[in-house]
Amino acid sequence: MAVDLGAGSGRCVVGQIVDGRWQLIEAGRFRTPAYTDTATGYQCWDTDAILRAVEQHLGQASAQARLASVGVDGWGVDYVLLDGDLQRVGAAVCYRDKRTAGVMERVHGRVPREDIYRRTGIQFLPFNTFYQLAACVEQRPEWLDAARHLLMIPDYLHFRLSGVAANEYTNATTTQICGLDGEWDDALVEAIGLKHELLRKPVAAGTVLGEGQGAASGMKVIAPATHDTASAVAGTPLESDDEAYISSGTWSLMGIESRTPMATADALRMNFTNEGGLEGRFRVLKNIMGMWPMQRICEEQGIADIDALVKEAGDAAPWRSILDTNDPEFLNPPSMTEAIRTFCRSTQQPAPETAAQMARCIFDSLALSYRQVKEQLEALRGRRLVRMRIVGGGCRNRLLNQLCADACGLPVLAGPVEASALGNLSAQMIALGEMENLQAARAVIRASFVVEEYTPRAGVPVHVLECWNELRAAREAKGATCA
C-alpha cells in the first residue's frame, strides 16, 4: 500500500501487478488535518490525526487482502522533532506559516546564497527546512534544546508504523541542508546553530526500514522516494532525456530527470533546484504555484463541481488578465479571491468578477509559468525539449493541458493521474525484489495506463507575453518569490 500525502488531502492506494499490468484500488482518502497552535499561533499539521487516518485505512485494507508492505510519501520541507525518549517535541509547523518571514535574508547575512547553492543545489524558497529551523532557533530554542531527532513528515509516519527512526534521502534533499553528495552538510547545520545529532545519515529510497507494528503488523515498512514529487517523477513513464515533466497538484513541479546535478551559476540565477530521486537520480526542477489558488477559490466561493468550472473557464475570454502566480501575495492570503482581484487592479488589468473568469486567469497564468520554465530548462541544458508529460491530479484538467501545449509549443502527454502512488508502489516492488529497477517499473506503467495527447493549436499573443515579462520583472526586482 502506498500512503500518498498531499497538503490538501491524503490517500491510501493498494497496488498489485496482474499479467504485467498495475491494478490499483483506492483504500481510502482523507483531508490532511491542520490546526492553529494556541501556544504559539503557528499553523501546524495534526500528525496524530494523520497517523490515525493512515492506520484506519491500513487496517481496513489488510482485512481485505494480505499486504506485503507499506510506504509513505508526502510533501517536503516540514518536519517533526523527537526527544531522547522518542516523544514529540513542539508542533509540526506548516510551511505556509509566517514564522519564516525575513529569516532567509538574515541567514544569507551569515552564509552567502552562492555558497549554499554550491553545496546543496537547492532552490531558494522562504519555507525551506533550512529557514524553518533558523526560525525555530530564533523563536522556540527550547524545542531544539530538547530535541534529539529530526524526521520529515513521511519519516515520522514510518517511525510510528515500524519503530525505526530514519531520514530518507529524497526528502532530506528538500531541506537545503543536505549536500549534493547525499550527506548532511556540517557547515550549514552549524551556521544556524543546530546539533549534529538531530540528523541521521540519509537512507536510500527503497530501503526496507523494518517489520511493521500495530496496524502495519505482518508487513514490511519500506521508505519509498518519500518526497511526493520524487515518487511522482518515478511514476512518470519517461522515455527520453529530452522530455520534461510537470507533477501537477497543489504545486506544479516542472523539470527534467538527470544523472548529474545542474548547480551552475546559470541554474542559481534561474533558481532551479536539484532534488534527489529514486536510484540516486536528480530532479532538476522548479516549484510553480499550481492548483493552490484554484483550491482556495473553490473553498471561498463554495464551488464543488470543479469540472463544470473548468468547462466554463474554457468558454471565458482568454488572456483577459494574468497573474504572476509566484508572487508571495498568493502563498496564503486571507482571501485568494480578493488577492487576485487586488493584484489585477494594481497592475492595470481588469479584475476577474465571475468564478469562470477567475479560473481562466489562473490557468492562463500557469501556462505562462510553464512556458518560462520550459525556456529556462532548454537554456540550462543547451538543447531543446521535445515533449511534456503532465502527471498527477492536475493532468485531468484538459483546458490547462491544452494551454500548456499552446504556450510551450510542444506536444503534451497527460497521465497517469496516480503517478505519486505508482512511484511509491514501484519503489516498494523493487525493494521486495518483484521488479528489477526503475526502468522496468516505468515499462510496466506504460503498459498499464492510457495517456491523452495534446498538440499545440495557438500561440500566446505578443502583448500577453510583454505583460507577463513586466509582471515577472517587477517581482524579481523586489527580490520576492514564493516558488
Side-chain angles (χ1 to χ4, degrees), residues 4 24 45 49 100 121 129 146 165 193 209-210 219 223 232-233 246 288 302 341-342 351 366 411 427 475 478:
D4 179 31
L24 304 181
W45 302 111
T100 55
T129 317
L209 298 176
M219 61 192 79
V233 173
I246 299 175
I288 301 168
R341 287 173 176 164
T342 298
L366 282 174
R475 174 180 53 79
K478 293 186 295 184

Side-chain angles (χ1 to χ4, degrees), residues 243-454:
E243 294 179 326
Y245 56 78
I246 299 175
S247 177
S248 180
T250 301
W251 293 88
S252 288
L253 296 310
M254 179 174 172
I256 57 172
E257 188 175 67
S258 176
R259 297 285 184 173
T260 57
M262 296 183 181
T264 62
D266 284 340
L268 169 60
R269 177 176 55 81
M270 298 174 191
N271 206 19
F272 272 89
T273 203
N274 291 268
E275 294 171 348
L278 198 62
E279 297 183 347
R281 303 176 191 217
F282 289 89
R283 295 173 286 127
V284 182
L285 61 84
K286 288 191 76 167
N287 284 33
I288 301 168
M289 185 71 78
M291 301 307 290
W292 170 246
M294 277 298 301
Q295 293 167 5
R296 285 287 306 275
I297 292 296
C298 291
E299 179 182 307
E300 292 167 11
Q301 300 188 24
I303 299 170
D305 192 342
I306 307 299
D307 292 339
L309 179 58
V310 171
K311 185 177 185 305
E312 290 177 26
D315 295 331
W319 313 117
R320 180 175 181 268
S321 49
I322 58 174
L323 313 170
D324 180 355
T325 51
N326 291 334
D327 192 292
E329 292 299 318
F330 304 120
L331 181 61
N332 198 18
S335 168
M336 187 66 73
T337 302
E338 288 309 311
I340 290 174
R341 287 173 176 164
T342 298
F343 182 92
C344 290
R345 293 188 190 106
S346 68
T347 53
Q348 290 74 55
Q349 300 181 84
E353 297 300 331
T354 68
Q357 288 176 344
M358 192 80 63
R360 184 62 190 241
C361 172
I362 292 169
F363 298 149
D364 284 346
S365 302
L366 282 174
L368 291 171
S369 293
Y370 299 158
R371 176 191 175 99
Q372 175 196 346
V373 176
K374 174 252 185 186
E375 291 174 345
Q376 291 176 332
L377 281 168
E378 290 178 334
L380 193 61
R381 65 202 296 270
R383 65 180 189 272
R384 295 183 63 82
L385 295 164
V386 300
R387 185 184 298 126
M388 304 280 295
R389 289 186 181 266
I390 302 180
V391 298
C395 80
R396 289 177 291 202
N397 188 326
R398 292 182 172 179
L399 171 60
L400 183 55
N401 293 341
Q402 186 61 56
L403 288 171
C404 176
D406 292 344
C408 293
L410 290 177
V412 168
L413 295 180
V417 174
E418 304 290 351
S420 294
L422 286 165
N424 182 324
L425 292 167
S426 295
Q428 293 183 54
M429 285 286 191
I430 294 168
L432 293 171
E434 299 295 331
M435 286 182 175
E436 183 179 358
N437 52 29
L438 180 56
Q439 181 180 355
R442 284 175 169 160
V444 175
I445 293 170
R446 278 193 293 272
S448 303
F449 301 94
V450 175
V451 298
E452 191 169 358
E453 183 168 3
Y454 299 80

Side-chain angles (χ1 to χ4, degrees), residues 149-170:
H149 306 276
L150 182 149
L151 300 177
M152 308 304 281
I153 298 290
D155 295 333
Y156 176 69
L157 294 173
H158 286 144
F159 161 67
R160 295 296 299 271
L161 293 173
S162 70
V164 177
N167 294 116
E168 185 274 326
Y169 163 69
T170 66

Side-chain angles (χ1 to χ4, degrees), residues 171-186:
N171 222 333
T173 65
T174 73
T175 64
Q176 209 174 29
I177 50 176
C178 183
L180 287 167
D181 60 358
E183 303 287 343
W184 299 110
D185 190 295
D186 291 341

